[in-house]
Amino acid sequence: MKKLLLNLIILLYFSFSSAQTKPTFLVVGNATNKESVLKNKRLDISKIKVENISNEPIYLVWETVSNTFPKEWDCSMCQHGACQIGIPKGSAFSKLNADQQGFIAIHVIPSNKKGNGIVKFKIYDKANPDYAQILTFEVDVL
């Protein structure tokens, strides 16, 4: 009886711990966007989509992991539900209902400055921060 109870406790423990890290969202398509733009043009939008694959509403949070865009570039970004000037340190999406898609997008005006840069965002469900994805935007200005 003790062995059966111990096995049941171990089974429940692993069931709960694996349920906590089950993904609630997925990246739609590729998690990396590579863009090229001429120095006298602008990158109007580069977008990476994510989809809620759970049966419940979720609240996605993002953080800027790294940003090597030249300081001369005029950059902004949008997330599902809001746009912001520059590349902030982080924020949160509006609620994503089951089967709904959201996105992170960037905009770049290079101001005639050639170069390249990469910005990476870590994105995760507020209720499940152990599962995260990195969204990467690579921009070359020619």
Side-chain angles (χ1 to χ4, degrees), residues 6 15 35 46-47 50 55 85 88 94-97 101 107-108 113 129 131 138:
L6 179 61
S15 295
E35 307 283 359
S46 181
K47 184 187 294 188
V50 293
N55 295 325
I85 297 172
S94 297
K95 175 176 70 171
L96 278 180
N97 291 313
Q101 290 186 355
H107 316 276
V108 177
K113 171 72 172 152
Y131 176 79
E138 298 178 17

Side-chain angles (χ1 to χ4, degrees), residues 39-117:
K39 68 178 184 173
N40 59 345
K41 300 292 182 184
R42 61 191 291 159
L43 175 61
D44 284 324
I45 190 164
S46 181
K47 184 187 294 188
I48 299 176
K49 294 180 181 180
V50 293
E51 184 172 351
N52 179 351
I53 59 168
S54 75
N55 295 325
E56 305 282 330
I58 61 172
Y59 295 88
L60 296 179
V61 176
W62 62 268
E63 302 167 3
T64 302
V65 175
S66 64
N67 180 1
T68 64
F69 285 172
K71 64 181 179 183
E72 296 86 2
W73 291 1
D74 183 10
C75 305
S76 61
M77 63 89 57
C78 293
Q79 67 201 31
H80 178 72
C83 288
Q84 301 177 21
I85 297 172
I87 307 291
K89 293 186 186 285
S91 188
F93 281 27
S94 297
K95 175 176 70 171
L96 278 180
N97 291 313
D99 296 324
Q100 186 178 10
Q101 290 186 355
F103 65 90
I104 287 183
I106 62 163
H107 316 276
V108 177
I109 303 172
S111 305
N112 284 320
K113 171 72 172 152
K114 291 182 181 181
N116 56 41

